[in-house]
Amino acid sequence: MRISEKKVNAQKKNFVGRSKEMEIIHRHIAGDWKWQWIHIYGQSGIGKTTFLQHVTSEIKGACFYFLDGSQGIIKKDDVLAQLAKQLDNTSESKNNNLDSEVMVQQMNNKARSIGKKHILVMDAFDQFRSVEKWLTEWLDQLDENIRIITSGQHPLTGRWLHYGWANLIYTLHLPALTSIEVQQFARKQGITNTQAQSDIYQFSRGIPLALTLAAELMLQTQGDMQFNRQEKTELLNILMEKLLNGLPLNVCKLLEAASVFWKFNEERLASIINEEMDAFSFRKLIMMPYVLLIEDGWMVHDAVRAWVLEDLMLRKPLKYEEMRKKALNQIWLEERKNPKLRKKLHLDKMNLHENPMVRNICFSGHLEDVELRACREIDLPAIQSLYIRYHHYALPIVPEERYMEKLIRPIWEVDPTSFITIWERNELIAFYCKVPLHAEMLEILATEPILQPFLSKWKPTPNAYSLLLIGIEPKLEDKTSAYIVNTMINHLSFSEWILDFTCFKEWFPILELCGFSPAPWANTITHYGTEYRAFILDLTQEDYLTKLDRLLTSRGSEKKVTKSSQTQDVQDLKSILKEWNQIISNPALSDTYFRLFPHRMRDSESVKSMGISIQKEVSNIITQLINEREREATYGKLLKYRFLQGNHSHEKVAERLNLSMATYYRYLNKALEHLYQLLSM
């Protein structure tokens, strides 16, 4: 077998997803619709070339002519030279070297013969602009039996929208892969660890180029199944180079600004850049394939926004913080000018929360043709199925675990309005259940053992509810989160007291950051080991949107940290250092660290990788102290000897630094305060 054949086989083996797109391609090649031409577009790295290669290798009984724009198209002979190699080597074609009339006649004659379907494929179609005028005339001569497939970063523009071409062209956007498809790809690579699969998706966001690079790097770790921050930065550099290649500097700056916002427009970008707004550059930006036109503005694709922001925060953290605060002020200004926008702008404001965990929970994907519906009895089987499928997908602990499934029908029978269902094109894609805690409902809830700790200690409260059940279509989780959070926040605003009872661990710290208080007296663990935690939201004194506004900048210049709260924070930091060797395996220590320094958590990581990141971060700062002036150097050495090198006794550290015990304890407190201040920056 030749190397080229092995490469094709490897591509087939690793190919995942794209089933809907392949169905459309099959219809197109079969001629089962009116369109003569399909144009596929999507951002760089989305897998357009791989998809076309899969089409040409997968569809049997067809004749493909493949023209590659990336090989360099300057004049029409560059196109014809590629085509000539694929046509039969007849004497006619040899004698009429690169004769476009002869070639098109050959293609037409073949297409009219009985048998194979004939398809002209042009990849990297953006690179054909220099021959566009000639190409329109040449394609006009092709027989209608020859189907056309092109791909590029952008939808077709210019002359392709005139002279009748628009009536022949079907435009197909190539989306990112879903989280489930990423898992399938990872398993094909031999990556079976679920946390590793999740890490790959969190980084790649389903963009095939990033997915492939991340998987290759993870496999190089020889079983460690994670990549450290340095390796991740290298991946980021490759992707940013690909993303920004050929973009003018002004457009690159606008892309940074656009990525700070959830939704942006020209006025919003002007509010945070430190130079005059360039309308031409703005139009260039919104023509990029990773910028989506939505209601009230534009949105940068999630993956691109995540890469741009992480790159910005790594290179210019102070610049990012300045832009974030300006952006938040702009949203508040819009709200003051039009108070009716308050409910509409709360997601824009949450996207500008100082804590990255809050920023990341609800700003992925974009859905169209979505509607909220009341829950009917006929919908209950679909709700039950979705509930179990989602929990087994998100919490693959024990397949036999049924969670609180048995409550679904009884809750609906008492109060059908408890269920909020979300549909896309008549398909149930998500639901959640907000249960009113009145006497009749409490009798239903009392049948669930998981809720016994809560029910035994709860004191009845007016206008009280509980968020108990949720289900999301796993393949659409990354696209539905923003819509669900938006709907839930609006729903919360009508309540005075809410219990959120959840087994999704990634939400434990996020709920606190969003204004919920832990209720450990209601926590429980199921027979199969699933941990549930309770969180309470008390809205008796203020509505939820006001609370969210207050929580947006809890540690910024807008809020002064009291002496007592800082003293407690320093003691919490000391507790972390005393358990230095346990950070990697103890999630509670990581939770405490990121509560103290939320701005230092960039993304969702495993417990082990979070612990490694924390140890590396703290060690680097202590090393910097050791290399500073005399007093700071003493602080650094004291912290290193006391905590990082085996937790030595106070007496041994004082003796090693030649300090009296009184001076040692004074220096220890100062060193901890100094370390706390450095980590807070």
Side-chain angles (χ1 to χ4, degrees), residues 21-37:
E21 290 80 5
M22 283 300 294
E23 288 177 13
I24 292 174
I25 292 294
H26 277 287
R27 284 186 60 196
H28 178 63
I29 291 176
D32 291 342
W33 61 358
K34 69 173 184 177
W35 308 102
Q36 182 76 21
W37 178 344

Side-chain angles (χ1 to χ4, degrees), residues 491-502:
H491 205 180
L492 293 176
S493 301
F494 298 101
S495 313
E496 293 183 16
W497 192 95
I498 297 167
L499 171 81
D500 192 304
F501 199 64
T502 181

Side-chain angles (χ1 to χ4, degrees), residues 384-509:
Q384 289 173 309
S385 172
L386 184 59
Y387 175 79
I388 290 298
R389 282 192 291 112
Y390 178 60
H391 280 67
H392 284 173
Y393 159 75
L395 299 164
I397 303 172
V398 180
E400 293 79 16
E401 177 77 274
R402 306 306 289 178
Y403 307 96
M404 291 185 281
E405 179 193 15
K406 70 178 185 179
L407 290 178
I408 292 176
R409 179 171 284 276
I411 288 174
W412 181 87
E413 290 175 348
V414 172
D415 188 350
T417 63
S418 299
F419 289 89
I420 305 299
T421 62
I422 302 172
W423 301 74
E424 182 184 37
R425 299 185 183 94
N426 289 321
E427 178 186 358
L428 178 68
I429 61 172
F431 81 90
Y432 66 89
C433 183
K434 181 187 172 189
V435 181
L437 298 177
H438 51 61
E440 187 178 5
M441 188 65 75
L442 289 173
E443 291 181 7
I444 299 297
L445 301 184
T447 64
E448 174 53 67
I450 297 174
L451 297 173
Q452 290 307 311
F454 162 65
L455 295 172
S456 64
K457 298 177 182 178
W458 180 65
K459 296 179 180 179
T461 305
N463 200 17
Y465 294 82
S466 179
L467 291 168
L468 285 180
L469 308 165
I470 188 170
I472 304 172
E473 180 58 51
K475 66 183 179 182
L476 294 176
E477 182 186 26
D478 50 310
K479 293 185 178 181
T480 56
S481 56
Y483 197 91
I484 294 169
V485 170
N486 186 28
T487 306
M488 289 180 70
I489 288 176
N490 286 328
H491 205 180
L492 293 176
S493 301
F494 298 101
S495 313
E496 293 183 16
W497 192 95
I498 297 167
L499 171 81
D500 192 304
F501 199 64
T502 181
C503 56
F504 299 117
K505 293 185 178 181
E506 66 271 21
W507 280 87
F508 294 170

Side-chain angles (χ1 to χ4, degrees), residues 16 29 52 109 127 241 247 342 367 430 449 503 538 577 613:
V16 296
I29 291 176
L52 290 179
N109 289 339
Q127 304 302 318
E241 183 178 353
L247 276 185
R342 190 180 188 215
L367 292 172
C503 56
D538 188 344
L577 293 174
S613 296

